Amino acid sequence: VTGFFKGLSFPLASITLYNSMVFGFFSNTQRLISKYRYGDGRHPCSMLDLTVASMLTGLVSVGVGAPVDLVKIRLQMQTQPVLA
């Protein structure tokens, strides 16, 4: 059972930071788009604004998430015995 959970502590610890970064970036991007398009950061966003904010957030999410997943996978692979 211990070998099954090896490498799981890193993803559990990092998922909170990852989610807060993604949601924070999305919110700030929405606010920035509203500020430049409408002159007010609290103006409701249009569907186009949400699409652009989502695409930018997706790019940042992949840039941060891919290395984290790579580390997670390598940590989990350490549990398998090496066959000579």
Side-chain angles (χ1 to χ4, degrees):
V1 175
T2 305
F4 181 74
F5 292 108
K6 185 175 181 182
L8 191 62
S9 60
F10 176 75
L12 288 176
S14 65
I15 195 69
T16 304
L17 296 174
Y18 175 78
N19 283 337
S20 66
M21 186 273 311
V22 169
F23 286 117
F25 187 84
F26 179 73
S27 176
N28 288 329
T29 303
Q30 274 186 305
R31 196 172 301 131
L32 187 68
I33 290 172
S34 291
K35 181 180 175 186
Y36 283 111
R37 278 193 79 186
Y38 308 110
D40 180 20
R42 295 187 183 266
H43 189 276
C45 292
S46 68
M47 190 60 74
L48 178 64
D49 300 339
L50 291 174
T51 302
V52 171
S54 297
M55 288 180 358
L56 291 172
T57 303
L59 287 173
V60 171
S61 171
V62 168
V64 171
V68 170
D69 284 342
L70 180 64
V71 169
K72 179 186 75 167
I73 290 168
R74 287 189 177 171
L75 287 173
Q76 288 175 344
M77 293 297 291
Q78 290 177 358
T79 63
Q80 296 179 358
V82 178
L83 300 175

